[in-house]
Amino acid sequence: MSNTQTSSSHGKLIAAVVAAALVVVLALVSAFIWPGWALNKGGEARSQGTTSQGASQDASEPTTPSIDAVALPDDASELLKAMPDAVLNFARTKAAAGTSWSGASPVEEYTLTYSTGTDGQEVTLEVAQWSQGEDAQSQYDNLTGAMTGKELGSGNVKVSGEATGAYSAKTDPNDETKAIAVWRNDTVVFQATGAKDSVRRFYQQFPL
């Protein structure tokens, strides 16, 4: 092969490589710079997905009750008065003296019911107070020690950054669609029972 033919072939090869490179560059420019869809479309899709998910959660988990709370008796104690009218969309529908923990000798005890107005979503709340934190701790230990279901959550109860107690939530060992949550705040012990989803939402947002 002659030198002229070799130079000609080499020149054609370089031209082909340059042409291919230009095609790639133009494709990238078209996709990412000129119309802007390759970058912006991805960002828009993520934004829409987040918005859609948030709207779905808000629609499925309302945060305000659709029913009115039942008023407390005029002679309600300070502990009973401290019980909220509503927690998220759960409104208080019943409040009466309780006796479930009478064997532990609390100073006072109450049984309350919170409802969304839909059957099967009620939460029963047992609350009692002792004169000493040690007695409340003993009751908390007895209650949580008897909980044998699957753990849903546990940790410390904190007020102004300081631990004042602890909490534990587990499924009902006899029915995994139900749950039990127990927590202690200083001298007061609470126990919420009901449907698992209801208990989970209720105890996490309970203000005491």
Side-chain angles (χ1 to χ4, degrees):
M1 184 178 292
S2 67
N3 290 337
T4 302
Q5 290 176 326
T6 301
S7 298
S8 177
S9 298
H10 185 65
K12 290 180 180 179
L13 178 61
I14 293 175
V17 171
V18 171
L22 286 174
V23 170
V24 172
V25 170
L26 288 173
L28 291 174
V29 169
S30 298
F32 291 98
I33 298 176
W34 172 240
W37 68 267
L39 291 177
N40 294 338
K41 191 68 174 180
E44 182 181 349
R46 285 193 296 272
S47 176
Q48 289 176 343
T50 301
T51 302
S52 176
Q53 182 180 8
S56 175
Q57 289 176 347
D58 291 342
S60 62
E61 297 186 352
T63 57
T64 56
S66 60
I67 59 176
D68 294 331
V70 172
L72 295 174
D74 294 336
D75 60 348
S77 69
E78 292 304 313
L79 175 62
L80 188 55
K81 289 179 181 178
M83 297 302 103
D85 290 346
V87 178
L88 295 176
N89 59 320
F90 297 90
R92 185 184 61 237
T93 57
K94 182 181 179 181
T99 58
S100 298
W101 301 339
S102 59
S105 302
V107 175
E108 53 184 319
E109 178 184 357
Y110 302 97
T111 302
L112 300 94
T113 301
Y114 285 84
S115 175
T116 63
T118 301
D119 290 341
Q121 293 185 355
E122 299 87 357
V123 173
T124 299
L125 179 69
E126 197 75 19
V127 55
Q129 185 169 29
W130 284 259
S131 58
Q132 301 293 327
E134 292 82 357
D135 295 330
Q137 179 65 52
S138 178
Q139 177 66 3
Y140 174 83
D141 291 340
N142 289 335
L143 292 172
T144 55
M147 295 164 59
T148 59
K150 180 181 178 181
E151 183 171 314
L152 300 175
S154 63
N156 293 324
V157 173
K158 293 185 177 182
V159 176
S160 300
E162 294 187 7
T164 58
Y167 71 91
S168 177
K170 293 184 178 182
T171 58
D172 186 327
N174 299 316
D175 186 348
E176 289 196 350
T177 65
K178 297 181 179 180
I180 305 169
V182 176
W183 64 101
R184 178 182 72 85
N185 187 347
D186 197 11
T187 59
V188 182
V189 176
F190 305 83
Q191 181 186 65
T193 58
K196 181 170 66 175
D197 288 343
S198 295
V199 170
R200 173 184 58 81
R201 296 180 62 231
F202 183 86
Y203 90 84
Q204 290 178 349
Q205 296 298 322
F206 197 82
L208 300 174

